[in-house]
Amino acid sequence: MGVERSGPDHGLRDVARAMRGVIELLEVYWARVPAGASPVTVSAPQLRVMYVLERREGINLRQLGAELDAAPSSVSRLCDRLEALGFVRRSSSPASRREVELRLTAQGRAHLDRLRARREERLATVLARVTPASRARLVEAVEVVRDALVDVQADAPAPGAGHPPDEGTARRTG
């Protein structure tokens, strides 16, 4: 799967803008906690940490910081909060006692499962307003975009590869 390079496709910007708008609306929609939802609040940056730990079991703080493009001190604080909630466990690496490995706990995995179920339920309520034919086209389009994202991530350099980050520059964290 590749990007067509035969000429400028001004429609790409329109699609990207439309998708960005949907993503932003979903972020706001999902941030509204419905009655009876989990009493535990996890910030968006903390949630990103949990997603990475789910995919990269046993990652260390340095690797996590590279994956998130975040300063080590910020990553450590995010993990402190998640550990206090019981969602993350730190342990010494068998390879090096100086290195700390990070893992989601069963409680952390359960939180992600509940969050995903709640999001899917809320999204299904919205999608019920869309015609079945439009939903079928949407499934096809979303699968194509997901596959393209997987390809882009596979083509990206490994976290931490390339130039070392400048410690003096501000980074995205929360």
Side-chain angles (χ1 to χ4, degrees):
M1 174 181 298
V3 176
E4 291 182 27
R5 302 195 191 284
S6 58
D9 183 351
H10 299 292
L12 286 175
R13 290 279 187 205
D14 294 337
V15 173
R17 189 174 299 112
M19 285 192 63
R20 178 198 40 83
V22 169
I23 291 166
E24 289 171 358
L25 286 170
L26 282 171
E27 287 173 344
V28 171
Y29 183 65
W30 281 337
R32 291 188 205 144
V33 180
S38 172
V40 177
T41 301
V42 177
S43 69
Q46 291 166 346
L47 194 55
R48 283 193 303 270
V49 166
M50 292 177 72
Y51 290 147
V52 171
L53 295 182
E54 184 180 45
R55 276 191 344 268
R56 302 212 34 220
E57 187 75 17
I59 192 172
N60 65 36
L61 281 170
R62 181 185 50 74
Q63 293 166 329
L64 179 59
E67 181 93 12
L68 297 172
D69 192 25
S73 58
S74 296
V75 173
S76 186
R77 283 191 304 273
L78 289 168
C79 290
D80 289 344
R81 168 84 169 116
L82 291 168
E83 189 173 31
L85 291 170
F87 291 169
V88 168
R89 180 176 41 86
R90 293 178 186 182
S91 59
S92 295
S93 168
S96 168
R97 290 187 340 205
R98 291 178 17 187
E99 207 169 278
V100 174
E101 293 181 343
L102 302 164
R103 288 184 166 71
L104 281 181
T105 62
Q107 188 177 348
R109 290 181 192 287
H111 181 79
L112 286 179
D113 290 345
R114 285 188 304 272
L115 176 69
R116 287 176 173 135
R118 190 170 56 244
R119 285 178 168 187
E120 287 174 16
E121 183 179 314
R122 295 193 76 206
L123 192 51
T125 301
V126 171
L127 293 171
R129 296 174 177 226
V130 177
T131 66
S134 292
R135 286 195 304 260
R137 289 191 308 273
L138 182 59
V139 166
E140 183 179 331
V142 168
E143 287 174 352
V144 168
V145 171
R146 184 194 61 228
D147 290 347
L149 281 168
V150 168
D151 287 349
V152 166
Q153 287 180 335
D155 292 344
H163 300 293
D166 178 2
E167 290 299 323
T169 59
R171 295 192 180 135
R172 261 186 321 136
T173 62

